[in-house]
Amino acid sequence: IFSQFGTNVYASDVVQQAISCIVSEMKKLRPEHIREIGNDIVPVNSDLQAVLNNPNPRMTTSDFLEKVTWLLLLNYNAFIVPTFYEWRDKDGKLKRKYEALYPITPSQVDFIEDAGNRLFVKFRFNNGYECTVRYSDVIHIKKNYSVNDFMGGNEQGQPDNEALLKTLNINHQLLEGVSSAMKSSFAINGVVKFNTMLDDGKTEAALKELEGKLKKSESGFLPLDLKSEFIPIKKEVQLVHPDTLKFIDEKILRHFGVPLCILTGDYTKEQYEAFYQKTLEPYIISFSQAFTKTLFTDGELRHHNKVMFYPKELIFMSVDQTLQMITLLSNTG
């Protein structure tokens, strides 16, 4: 009898490991405030850069990126609320000074439009607190942005895990089968038939005598007299083929774009580069564009200000390749 897996896909150890692989790489990113001037990318030592280096009093940059990535992969939506001062300078230009960035976990999100076509978002939290802010002031990162106009995921703005749940249920049943097979291998291995009439007391004494013989037998042979007969029970324990379990694991991992070699850490440079381009880079682009769209005024955007997330520690090249690159670039100026 096999039980159903349930509806929480994150109860699966394979799902947790796959998400953890993505999160552990994303937290290595280095956010930078840059300005594009012609073909040059110039780092900007701004108040915003100070906040990117220290997002809020409770989190380091890696903590912040880890939290945001987990929220995105769990909920298909991640909301970050920046705190800032806003004013206009003597020329009437809108200015902002950022103080912190806070990832939030609302229990309900409502989108509201006023008569001036300005969009607001209302957050409700588990402790009963509610707040309404301009949507343009919220960093909103979406995953699987498709049928819902405002949220990632399905029509209700929730993760669509129906297909994944079918695979997880198969995986759960296979693991239950392996567990049952192991338990059956520890069950009764045979029957001892006593060829005499024994009352309850003598039967119990005979069984204790047999157990004593089993414990003392180091050769594997069990001495029996004519009064007793050992009848072995033939077992045919059917274990799941390892290739089947591997296929199911890889099917789950493919859902998140994480190959098995990345999960085990046994990957080549080419395999890691493929993982970066297929799985990590789309998230990095989404992060960069969402932060840029929210954190800069229209004037700053016209002057090509951006927030870029650089994979400083996501190194594809070996030390020798890096030295060759430096030599080549230095010789060419």
Side-chain angles (χ1 to χ4, degrees), residues 81 103-109 122-132:
V81 175
I104 60 172
T105 54
S107 57
Q108 183 176 335
V109 179
K122 183 176 183 179
F123 297 114
R124 293 184 176 88
F125 299 89
N126 287 329
N127 62 357
Y129 178 73
E130 297 181 358
C131 68
T132 303

Side-chain angles (χ1 to χ4, degrees), residues 100-330:
L101 299 168
Y102 291 97
I104 60 172
T105 54
S107 57
Q108 183 176 335
V109 179
D110 296 327
F111 289 87
I112 306 166
E113 192 174 61
D114 68 3
N117 295 325
R118 292 179 301 177
L119 191 62
F120 293 81
V121 59
K122 183 176 183 179
F123 297 114
R124 293 184 176 88
F125 299 89
N126 287 329
N127 62 357
Y129 178 73
E130 297 181 358
C131 68
T132 303
V133 296
R134 290 178 297 190
Y135 183 63
S136 59
D137 290 339
V138 177
I139 300 172
H140 182 192
I141 307 170
K142 312 173 192 72
K143 181 177 184 290
N144 288 9
Y145 183 45
S146 55
V147 292
N148 190 295
D149 289 338
F150 300 104
M151 302 275 280
N154 58 20
E155 293 181 357
Q156 289 75 40
Q158 299 293 322
D160 188 1
N161 294 320
E162 184 177 351
L164 179 59
L165 279 169
K166 292 179 180 178
T167 306
L168 290 175
N169 192 48
I170 295 172
N171 185 63
H172 178 65
Q173 291 178 359
L174 288 174
L175 293 176
E176 279 194 327
V178 173
S179 176
S180 297
M182 290 178 61
K183 289 178 181 177
S184 69
S185 68
F186 302 140
I188 296 172
N189 293 306
V191 176
V192 176
K193 178 182 176 183
F194 294 99
N195 296 316
T196 58
M197 297 295 291
L198 299 176
D199 57 24
D200 292 341
K202 290 183 180 180
T203 302
E204 187 176 346
L207 287 174
K208 287 184 178 179
E209 181 184 358
L210 178 64
E211 289 176 0
K213 290 178 180 179
L214 287 170
K215 291 178 181 178
K216 292 177 182 177
S217 178
E218 297 179 356
S219 65
F221 291 97
L222 179 65
L224 295 173
D225 55 23
L226 293 174
K227 293 183 296 183
S228 56
E229 178 185 353
F230 181 77
I231 306 171
I233 295 177
K234 186 179 179 181
K235 293 185 178 180
E236 293 182 1
V237 178
Q238 298 292 332
L239 290 172
V240 180
H241 197 279
D243 289 344
T244 304
L245 288 173
K246 183 180 179 182
F247 170 76
I248 296 297
D249 276 350
E250 290 183 339
K251 185 173 174 63
I252 297 169
L253 292 173
R254 280 200 305 271
H255 181 86
F256 296 96
V258 179
L260 193 60
C261 61
I262 296 294
L263 186 67
T264 60
D266 183 24
Y267 53 83
T268 63
K269 168 185 171 292
E270 290 75 17
Q271 288 172 325
Y272 186 87
E273 187 170 356
F275 169 61
Y276 174 83
Q277 292 177 351
K278 180 181 183 299
T279 302
L280 298 180
E281 194 170 31
Y283 291 123
I284 294 172
I285 292 172
S286 295
F287 275 46
S288 176
Q289 293 181 354
F291 275 67
T292 298
K293 182 178 179 64
T294 300
L295 295 178
F296 295 113
T297 63
D298 291 340
E300 290 170 332
L301 291 173
R302 284 194 294 270
H303 285 86
H304 306 290
N305 286 276
K306 292 183 178 181
V307 174
M308 300 294 292
F309 289 81
Y310 289 107
K312 181 179 180 182
E313 303 300 333
L314 303 179
I315 301 172
F316 303 139
M317 296 185 294
S318 65
V319 175
D320 290 340
Q321 290 172 323
T322 304
L323 291 174
Q324 290 173 13
M325 181 191 69
I326 293 171
T327 302
L328 177 66
L329 293 179
S330 61

